[in-house]
Amino acid sequence: MSESPLVLVHRPPNLNFMDELLSRNYRILNTHTSSDPLPVFLSRQASSVRAFVNIALLKIDADLLSHLPSLQLIVCTSVGTNHVDLAECKRRGIAVTNAGEAFSEDVADFAVGLLISVLRRIPAADRYVRSGNWAKFGNFQLGIKLSGKRVGILGLGSIGSLIAKRLEPFGCIISYNSTCQKQRIPYLYYLDVLSLAANNDVIVLSCALNDQTRHIVNREVMEALGKNGVIINVGRGGLIDEKEMVKCLVDGVIGGAGLDVFEKEPGVPVELFGLDNVVLSPHAAMVTPGSLDNIAQLALANLKALFADQPLISPVRLD
Amino acid sequence: MSESPLVLVHRPPNLNFMDELLSRNYRILNTHTSSDPLPVFLSRQASSVRAFVNIALLKIDADLLSHLPSLQLIVCTSVGTNHVDLAECKRRGIAVTNAGEAFSEDVADFAVGLLISVLRRIPAADRYVRSGNWAKFGNFQLGIKLSGKRVGILGLGSIGSLIAKRLEPFGCIISYNSTCQKQRIPYLYYLDVLSLAANNDVIVLSCALNDQTRHIVNREVMEALGKNGVIINVGRGGLIDEKEMVKCLVDGVIGGAGLDVFEKEPGVPVELFGLDNVVLSPHAAMVTPGSLDNIAQLALANLKALFADQPLISPVRLD
């Protein structure tokens, strides 16, 4: 019997949820077991690696790929693949899979949680009570009503659709902008993000980050959203011009924001730390045990498909 | 033309949202304008008061009512009327109205917000980022998945029904306990709160506080809910045996809680301030400008109905 395929795994030290499942089926090469710089480690040990499971968002560029001459597949445990050089993968004939819909529910739940938290000021309320200020000063500042709000969703894919579905019974009026208008969707479609922002009280970002969408929410879009407008970002930090967003939040150009993602994670602009109209979260929208289990099963299914020469389960288009 | 009726108003100093609307229509006697103790103030000035608008939760007992010999109506701006001696009102022939459904949507929105905040640890995440710990320590603790959770609602009235409707698209499985089983409701009915807690992951309290429901969530109920169980309370603090709840949260008998109400507001047990699995809020579930406007309009409509000898809009049953 031939030796089982060699699979490279890159993960944060504490995210070991896939280790057992993978090592039961494959020989595993784990980057974090070595103190060598990654290129050195790879050039020494990774020449026969056939698949690469990237848990976290390690940047995979042409240079890194050059150390993996036998690579056939990159398994991303994220939905977005902006950290992978897809053009180089295409040129090399390396397939890429993503998380598909493995954590769409959790991200949609979290987006709604962020939205209610911003409008109704839940973390600020929690701080107010914990600091003893309720007993000292009495009534807390008014929140903003969610029911009836116009919510524009940027990117009506798997996650965006679940967010829309969840917000309907709150009496929210949903509209969207997406790469193209969807068939059989009852929500109003806006041709661009500027008109989406101008015609809504809230915009929710749940689209992919790429050259077309980088800084798609710029100063002009935020001015169109207006002083009572709220941004919820569960996509990628780079979708927003973060420097301008900080100014807009500080100066009251927009009303508030719920942010799970940032341009330079884990870096967060310190100006946000003192604001009560923002809710900050450490890129945690997809992280529950349920989602991690889904991701592990999906990664394994993709690997099995590769080595059985079957169609991949959640392939990413490379054009 | 006869003088317009005298209406007594009791409100916190900062909650002046109804002043203009009321004084446009009636002569107003405002308790907080006097430094006299309330009984003294009332016995001196309130003998011709025909209606009493109680903004906030001032306890109205037989003694206080004895200073209001001409009183015909108490307008409560809350849904719950546990702070009013309804038996004495009945004996005296004083009608009572409540907030009806004026802020049901806001309370339901807030209850869902609290639930997501507890499960997905949103205020804890916000603290983690603001303290700089994300950049220092990396990954944040896993949250708990909402989708698919079994949610038992105690009190399926106006607010409870809206909470159920909002949780359906999250894939939650809804059941309830109420004073009686509802017709044409698809949710499973449990005969008592103990079986509701034993068969659910989450219980949401949205029922009235009265002699039957005081401390309805006791130690036994919390043990039945279990170590992963979560309590959301947007009803009244007295629905829970708070002392036991604190022990259950500290000892891990239950998993977490989202609490907008407490037994001795604005007092909150200090043991809760250090816990990451609770979210605390200063009785703010109903407080948005939208709800306040609804409440003001409803109060005025009830007053107009009284003085025009028409049926009241949101009467409370006095038996």
Side-chain angles (χ1 to χ4, degrees), chain A residues 120 126 130 142 278 280 285 287, chain B residues 120 130 142 278 280 285 287:
Chain A
R120 303 303 306 276
D126 185 75
R130 282 176 201 252
L142 290 181
V278 300
L280 308 171
V287 188
Chain B
R120 302 302 305 275
R130 282 175 200 253
L142 289 181
V278 300
L280 307 172
V287 189

Side-chain angles (χ1 to χ4, degrees), chain B residues 107-108 111 114-115 151-157 159-161 163 167 175 177 193 196-197 202-209 213-218 221-222 225 230-242 245 254 257-261 285:
Chain B
V107 176
L114 278 180
L115 176 54
V151 177
I153 298 176
L154 183 60
L156 201 71
I159 293 169
S161 302
I163 294 170
L167 287 175
S175 60
N177 168 249
V193 68
L196 188 79
V202 174
I203 55 173
V204 179
L205 313 186
S206 53
C207 62
L209 177 62
T213 60
R214 186 171 303 279
H215 285 197
I216 192 169
V217 177
N218 56 22
V221 169
M222 289 186 265
L225 186 61
V230 168
I231 299 173
I232 303 298
N233 192 1
V234 290
R236 283 287 179 276
L239 295 170
I240 308 180
D241 183 337
E242 197 170 75
M245 180 192 66
I254 60 172
L259 306 168
D260 187 48
V261 286

Side-chain angles (χ1 to χ4, degrees), chain A residues 12 14-15 102 105-110 112-114 116-117 120 122-123 125-132 134-135 139-147 165-166 169-171 260 262 265-268 272-276 278-292 294, chain B residues 12 14-15 102 105-110 112-114 116-117 120 122-123 125-132 134-135 139-147 165-166 169-171 260 262 265-268 272-276 278-292 294:
Chain A
N14 61 340
L15 271 187
E105 285 182 340
D106 277 335
V107 176
D109 293 352
F110 202 83
V112 175
L114 279 180
I116 306 177
S117 290
R120 303 303 306 276
I122 292 178
D126 185 75
R127 276 196 295 277
Y128 189 74
V129 174
R130 282 176 201 252
S131 65
W134 187 22
N139 282 334
F140 181 61
Q141 198 182 338
L142 290 181
I144 298 161
K145 199 179 182 67
L146 171 59
S147 296
K165 190 181 131 197
R166 280 155 173 68
F170 288 89
D260 186 48
F262 304 87
E265 295 174 9
V268 176
L272 300 178
F273 292 179
L275 299 181
D276 258 9
V278 300
V279 177
L280 308 171
S281 163
H283 204 145
M286 76 300 182
V287 188
T288 72
S291 278
L292 295 186
N294 287 349
Chain B
N14 61 339
L15 270 186
E105 284 182 340
D106 277 336
V107 176
D109 293 352
F110 202 83
V112 175
L114 278 180
I116 305 177
S117 290
R120 302 302 305 275
I122 291 177
D126 186 75
R127 277 197 293 279
Y128 189 74
V129 175
R130 282 175 200 253
S131 64
W134 187 22
N139 283 331
F140 181 61
Q141 197 183 339
L142 289 181
I144 297 161
K145 199 180 181 68
L146 171 58
S147 296
K165 188 181 132 198
R166 280 154 172 68
F170 287 90
D260 187 48
F262 303 89
E265 296 174 9
V268 176
L272 299 179
F273 292 178
L275 299 181
D276 258 8
V278 300
V279 177
L280 307 172
S281 164
H283 204 144
M286 75 300 181
V287 189
T288 73
S291 278
L292 295 187
N294 288 348

Side-chain angles (χ1 to χ4, degrees), chain A residues 209 215 233 235-242 261-263 265:
Chain A
L209 176 64
H215 286 198
N233 192 0
R236 283 286 179 276
L239 295 170
I240 308 179
D241 183 338
E242 196 170 78
V261 287
F262 304 87
E263 285 205 80
E265 295 174 9

Side-chain angles (χ1 to χ4, degrees), chain B residues 17-18 54-58 74-84 86 96-108 154-163 205-210 234-236 239 260-261 283 285-287 291-292 294-295 298-299 302 314-318:
Chain B
F17 66 101
M18 240 186 260
N54 186 10
I55 305 171
L57 296 171
L58 176 71
I74 297 171
V75 174
C76 295
T77 60
S78 56
V79 178
T81 51
N82 54 292
H83 52 302
V84 179
L86 298 180
V96 179
T97 62
N98 70 358
E101 304 187 0
F103 46 63
S104 298
E105 284 182 340
D106 277 336
V107 176
L154 183 60
L156 201 71
S158 159
I159 293 169
S161 302
L162 291 178
I163 294 170
L205 313 186
S206 53
C207 62
L209 177 62
N210 52 42
V234 290
R236 283 287 179 276
L239 295 170
D260 187 48
V261 286
H283 204 144
M286 75 300 181
V287 189
S291 278
L292 295 187
N294 288 348
I295 291 166
L298 181 62
N302 276 307
S314 56
V316 173
R317 282 182 57 176
L318 298 182

